[in-house]
Amino acid sequence: MKLAASEAFKKLKLKHYQQAKITTTKFYQTKPFFSMPEQIEKESGVLAPKRVNQVDLFKRYTYEVLPALEQSVELDLLDKVFQKVDPVVRESITQAYIRKQVEQLAQQPDPASIKDLDDNTKSNMPREKAKLFLKDWLDLNPIQIGKWIPLNYELFKKTFKFLSPGDFQKNLIELSKNFSLMMTDVGFKTIDYVDSSIRVPQIFQYKKLSKDNFHKEGFFIIMFNVLKGDFNDELRKHRNNELFQRVFATSVNFDALLTVILNHWELIQQLRTPDQRKEFFKSLVDQLLEKIDKQQANASMPELLFSTVKTLQFQDFTLDLTKYANNPLPVPKSLIENRFGEQYYGYSSNLLFYGDHGAGKSGVLMQAIIFAQQTGWIVAVVPSGYNWTSLKYEAKRHFKTGLYMQPKAAQEWLEQFKEANQEHLKTFQVDLSLYGKFNLSGVHDDDPDPCPNLYDERRGYHFKDFEKFTTQEERDFEEAQDQIMSARITLKIPKPQYLQEIIDYGISNAHYATNAVYEVMEQLYNTEKYKVLVAVDGINWFYRPSQIPSFRYESDKDLRGHVPPYHMSLPRLFMHFDGHKIKNGTKITASSIFKLFQHDFQPKHVLLPQKYGIKLNGAPLDMFRSFCEYGIQTGMWKCDEFSQNTLEQFWMETQGNYFETIKCMKVHWRDI
């Protein structure tokens, strides 16, 4: 038996070596693809070799040479290992090999009879439909990644009355006649991030919180969200301070300070009660006002802030910030591992998704928005930053503040917000201490001038020099409109009881719509009773010149006569990465480059640290299989079946890009 097995193995090995040698030799004897001019061919008498297409050459190499080489290498390695194993084990392996491999080899058909390699990879058995859908939204767990959450179209229309993020309505819903979301790995982590951003003040009274466990992931997140609200309460008292407006416009410095504080048990001991936290943050803000360099050109980076402030004193404890200048967000390591990896700080007040068009940025936003909406959150969504900076909506200028208002866009936003959150708005009581502080264009009474008369040293002019070129007729018109533009929504609704009253009035009166949007967002940012998610798709368009022309910006060579979004009421409200200002919730954003050719957007382009953004690169192969299966089962892709080899080829062609995949599905009717 041993002799027979050994001989069979040697014959099999020799056969594969010979087959690999013959296949490789034949391939390399093939002449490369090139052309010889006919005139030279005739005069020299030398015939040009047969032309071979490089693509065909690569296919032959892939299908013929590589498999043969792999088989010969594997058998060589197997032979070496085979000689080293124990004789008893060797005999057992030999017998198993004879029973299975030699018998299967004898049953293989003659290679000459195989005409189509692709047909040979297909199964003759009918393909069983994969189980794609979850029964319930709350079934979510890491094992379910790649599954689809079935939702109804009415929910989609309710949440996105006019427009949804990305191309969902145009592609997935209209093609498949179905509204479902595929749970991706990043989507699951984003939902976990959103769900963990709620405010639980009782954490500081928790008896199990101690010096040994305060730095653990769960405690860190809850304490961070509590301190976020207390720190903001103190900052709001300095709303008219231009320095603080600049330093804390985004959450970078804010998050860095809180993270460093939460790394010291001595400081956590001083934050046990609301009164202690109030006193602590008053001391913090006072010291910052005293030590921050008012002339600092770029005060939004924590490295510069920490090196400028250097130390902070809290009772008997001195906090040395210079130690954290190179690592301003020292979060627990487990947060980095369990969230988005090394590309993200681990935890902060904002999430920004960026990547190529069709990489899945808007899809992740949709997953987070629908999850929040279905689990009792209030969702405030800007589905397209591009629309607000384009010529889609008429804009008119508020003469006193200089901001451009888009009443129709504000009305649409209010209407969509109302449809998505009807259950909460009827019971959401207005905090009258916050109400009535905004004018018609959305400028708060305590805010600095939104359009200051800055001096451009490079070009030698002040921003408001344009007033020299206005005509007397224009000035008379502005004066006549002054009374109309000075009105506020408080004149019409002095003391609203519920938030829906403000929304309804803004929807029915375009003149007050922008004012209503600002009043609504002020209530949302400061509520503790309701959980709030703010989501903005296409936020990068707020950092580019709009398409709205105005002679007032002709002197700025970067604007070229177009209004910047920071001088437009609606973009100005949503453009900042200010999730730290939301008392009980968070903010997630995504870039959009569908109108920009070969544009590479990154967080640093908007002065945000690179680790505040998460880059998406399309679907991995496993999720790509699920996406293709969904396309077939819903009729979005007219394809009856596909083999593993051709599915991998399809993934390689599209690189897992959802937009490219759907584009292929629309015109790709072959059975693969």
Side-chain angles (χ1 to χ4, degrees):
M1 182 65 182
K2 285 184 181 180
L3 182 61
S6 179
E7 290 298 324
F9 186 83
K10 286 180 180 179
K11 287 180 180 180
L12 179 62
K13 179 181 174 182
L14 180 62
K15 178 180 177 181
H16 281 291
Y17 270 127
Q18 291 173 345
Q19 184 180 350
K21 184 177 180 181
I22 292 169
T23 306
T24 309
T25 304
K26 284 182 178 180
F27 177 80
Y28 285 109
Q29 285 175 348
T30 303
K31 298 292 190 297
F33 175 82
F34 72 94
S35 62
M36 180 182 289
E38 293 183 7
Q39 186 66 23
I40 297 176
E41 187 176 337
K42 289 179 181 180
E43 292 177 359
S44 64
V46 178
L47 295 177
K50 184 179 179 181
R51 297 161 67 108
V52 180
N53 191 297
Q54 291 282 14
V55 176
D56 294 335
L57 210 60
F58 180 74
K59 285 183 178 179
R60 285 188 57 195
Y61 181 80
T62 304
Y63 288 131
E64 298 176 20
V65 177
L66 281 182
L69 288 174
E70 288 172 357
Q71 287 178 342
S72 62
V73 171
E74 289 172 1
L75 285 168
D76 189 38
L77 291 173
L78 181 61
D79 188 28
K80 290 179 181 179
V81 176
F82 187 74
Q83 300 302 329
K84 295 179 181 180
V85 299
D86 183 84
V88 178
V89 178
R90 190 186 310 166
E91 182 179 358
S92 176
I93 293 174
T94 304
Q95 291 176 356
Y97 191 85
I98 291 172
R99 286 196 303 269
K100 296 180 180 179
Q101 302 299 327
V102 176
E103 182 179 346
Q104 291 179 11
L105 182 66
Q107 295 176 355
Q108 287 184 356
D110 184 1
S113 65
I114 302 176
K115 297 180 180 179
D116 187 355
L117 185 63
D118 286 338
D119 289 340
N120 192 41
T121 63
K122 293 183 180 179
S123 172
N124 293 325
M125 297 295 291
R127 181 173 57 83
E128 182 181 357
K129 286 188 177 181
K131 296 179 180 179
L132 291 179
F133 296 95
L134 297 174
K135 292 182 179 179
D136 192 281
W137 179 268
L138 299 178
D139 281 347
L140 287 180
N141 59 68
I143 301 175
Q144 306 290 3
I145 290 173
K147 298 290 187 180
W148 288 77
I149 303 161
L151 303 162
N152 59 67
Y153 186 66
E154 293 301 319
L155 172 64
F156 176 83
K157 291 300 294 181
K158 175 184 176 182
T159 310
F160 310 105
K161 183 173 183 178
F162 296 103
L163 187 68
S164 67
D167 297 323
F168 264 83
Q169 185 168 358
K170 180 180 177 182
N171 290 326
L172 280 179
I173 294 179
E174 291 184 1
L175 289 175
S176 66
K177 308 301 180 185
N178 183 48
F179 178 39
S180 300
L181 292 173
M182 183 173 70
M183 183 48 54
T184 63
D185 179 45
V186 176
F188 182 83
K189 292 176 180 177
T190 304
I191 287 174
D192 182 45
Y193 164 83
V194 170
D195 199 35
S196 66
S197 63
I198 57 177
R199 180 177 166 88
V200 186
Q202 296 83 359
I203 182 63
F204 287 102
Q205 301 297 326
Y206 190 50
K207 294 180 180 179
K208 293 184 180 180
L209 182 64
S210 66
K211 189 175 182 179
D212 297 327
N213 63 17
F214 79 96
H215 56 275
K216 289 188 176 180
E217 176 183 339
F219 289 138
F220 174 87
I221 292 175
I222 300 175
M223 289 189 294
F224 183 96
N225 290 320
V226 174
L227 297 186
K228 185 172 71 171
D230 295 316
F231 193 2
N232 263 313
D233 287 341
E234 189 62 35
L235 287 177
R236 196 175 296 109
K237 298 175 183 177
H238 302 271
R239 187 163 186 162
N240 61 348
N241 187 304
E242 291 188 27
L243 175 65
F244 270 21
Q245 285 287 318
R246 188 169 78 249
V247 173
F248 296 109
T250 64
S251 62
V252 183
N253 286 328
F254 185 96
D255 293 346
L257 283 168
L258 284 190
T259 304
V260 170
I261 289 169
L262 288 173
N263 271 267
H264 296 85
W265 177 248
E266 296 84 354
L267 297 180
I268 293 176
Q269 289 291 82
Q270 301 179 32
L271 301 168
R272 291 286 189 177
T273 66
D275 290 338
Q276 285 179 321
R277 294 196 290 274
K278 185 176 180 180
E279 183 181 347
F280 180 91
F281 286 110
K282 184 181 185 305
S283 173
L284 171 60
V285 170
D286 290 342
Q287 292 181 70
L288 290 176
L289 281 171
E290 180 183 345
K291 296 184 177 183
I292 289 179
D293 183 3
K294 295 179 174 58
Q295 304 302 319
Q296 182 66 56
N298 188 4
S300 63
M301 294 294 107
E303 295 85 352
L304 295 175
L305 177 66
F306 287 3
S307 60
T308 302
V309 177
K310 294 182 179 178
T311 61
L312 293 170
Q313 188 69 37
F314 300 101
Q315 296 181 9
D316 297 331
F317 184 81
T318 301
L319 178 60
D320 186 1
L321 294 178
T322 58
K323 294 180 180 179
Y324 300 94
N326 296 325
N327 182 26
L329 277 90
V331 302
K333 290 184 178 179
S334 59
L335 263 177
I336 298 175
E337 297 169 357
N338 296 336
R339 290 299 171 97
F340 301 98
E342 292 293 336
Q343 66 170 328
Y344 185 63
Y345 276 127
Y347 194 79
S348 66
S349 301
N350 297 275
L351 279 180
L352 167 64
F353 298 103
Y354 67 102
D356 294 335
H357 178 43
K361 307 179 294 296
S362 301
V364 173
L365 280 191
M366 287 283 286
Q367 293 171 43
I369 292 167
I370 296 298
F371 167 81
Q373 202 260 359
Q374 292 288 285
T375 53
W377 289 59
I378 292 178
V379 292
V381 182
V382 178
S384 173
Y386 170 78
N387 282 357
W388 283 0
T389 59
S390 68
L391 296 173
K392 180 177 180 179
Y393 300 103
E394 180 186 0
K396 59 181 181 180
R397 185 171 177 269
H398 189 276
F399 307 120
K400 280 196 172 181
T401 63
L403 297 180
Y404 286 77
M405 301 180 295
Q406 298 163 296
K408 181 62 178 176
Q411 281 182 304
E412 285 189 4
W413 187 89
L414 288 169
E415 201 168 338
Q416 181 158 304
F417 177 78
K418 177 183 175 182
E419 285 291 323
N421 303 282
Q422 281 182 350
E423 294 80 2
H424 304 295
L425 299 181
K426 294 176 182 178
T427 58
F428 193 120
Q429 293 187 339
V430 176
D431 184 351
L432 294 178
S433 65
L434 301 172
Y435 178 68
K437 304 291 179 64
F438 292 94
N439 68 15
L440 203 65
S441 64
V443 177
H444 194 277
D445 292 339
D446 295 331
D447 281 348
D449 185 358
C451 302
N453 191 26
L454 300 176
Y455 181 71
D456 188 337
E457 294 182 0
R458 182 179 53 181
R459 309 200 70 171
Y461 80 100
H462 287 86
F463 169 65
K464 293 188 179 179
D465 283 352
F466 65 80
E467 293 177 352
K468 301 175 184 178
F469 303 97
T470 57
T471 64
Q472 184 62 44
E473 184 180 357
E474 289 174 324
R475 289 192 288 271
D476 292 342
F477 178 75
E478 289 182 4
E479 289 179 7
Q481 292 290 312
D482 182 56
Q483 185 175 358
I484 299 174
M485 289 294 185
S486 298
R488 297 191 180 196
I489 198 170
T490 48
L491 297 175
K492 304 297 180 179
I493 316 175
K495 293 183 179 181
Q497 185 176 0
Y498 298 107
L499 197 61
Q500 186 164 331
E501 297 175 42
I502 302 174
I503 295 171
D504 288 340
Y505 193 83
I507 293 172
S508 58
N509 297 272
H511 187 65
Y512 295 95
T514 303
N515 194 175
V517 172
Y518 271 81
E519 294 287 1
V520 167
M521 293 306 296
E522 182 74 359
Q523 298 289 329
L524 295 182
Y525 268 59
N526 291 283
T527 182
E528 288 192 47
K529 181 179 178 181
Y530 298 93
K531 298 173 289 187
V532 177
L533 173 66
V534 179
V536 182
D537 195 17
I539 194 170
N540 55 307
W541 289 98
F542 296 158
Y543 293 85
R544 302 172 61 86
S546 73
Q547 297 177 23
I548 300 171
S550 173
F551 77 94
R552 297 172 179 85
Y553 303 93
E554 285 290 351
S555 298
D556 192 321
K557 73 172 189 177
D558 295 323
L559 298 176
R560 300 291 184 186
H562 290 88
V563 180
Y566 53 81
H567 283 178
M568 299 172 64
S569 292
L570 288 179
R572 181 173 174 266
L573 176 59
F574 291 95
M575 70 182 298
H576 294 298
F577 297 93
D578 59 354
H580 62 293
K581 296 181 180 179
I582 303 175
K583 206 164 191 176
N584 190 19
T586 190
K587 186 173 187 176
I588 56 176
T589 59
S591 65
S592 174
I593 57 175
F594 76 107
K595 292 279 186 180
L596 304 172
F597 180 66
Q598 292 187 346
H599 181 70
D600 180 27
F601 171 81
Q602 295 187 31
K604 63 183 180 182
H605 296 160
V606 292
L607 298 179
L608 198 66
Q610 198 70 15
K611 286 195 173 184
Y612 258 74
I614 298 162
K615 186 174 183 179
L616 301 183
N617 297 300
L621 182 56
D622 286 341
M623 279 189 281
F624 185 78
R625 293 190 185 99
S626 177
F627 190 79
C628 290
E629 182 69 32
Y630 175 81
I632 292 174
Q633 291 192 20
T634 58
M636 186 172 67
W637 189 18
K638 305 303 180 183
C639 173
D640 294 331
E641 59 177 311
F642 52 80
S643 66
Q644 179 60 31
N645 287 351
T646 47
L647 180 64
E648 292 175 0
Q649 179 185 345
F650 190 27
W651 176 76
M652 186 175 68
E653 290 171 356
T654 61
Q655 291 296 294
N657 186 284
Y658 296 103
F659 176 76
E660 293 297 327
T661 303
I662 293 175
K663 189 166 68 173
C664 290
M665 286 179 174
K666 286 181 178 179
V667 297
H668 184 60
W669 290 69
R670 67 173 181 171
D671 293 340
I672 60 173

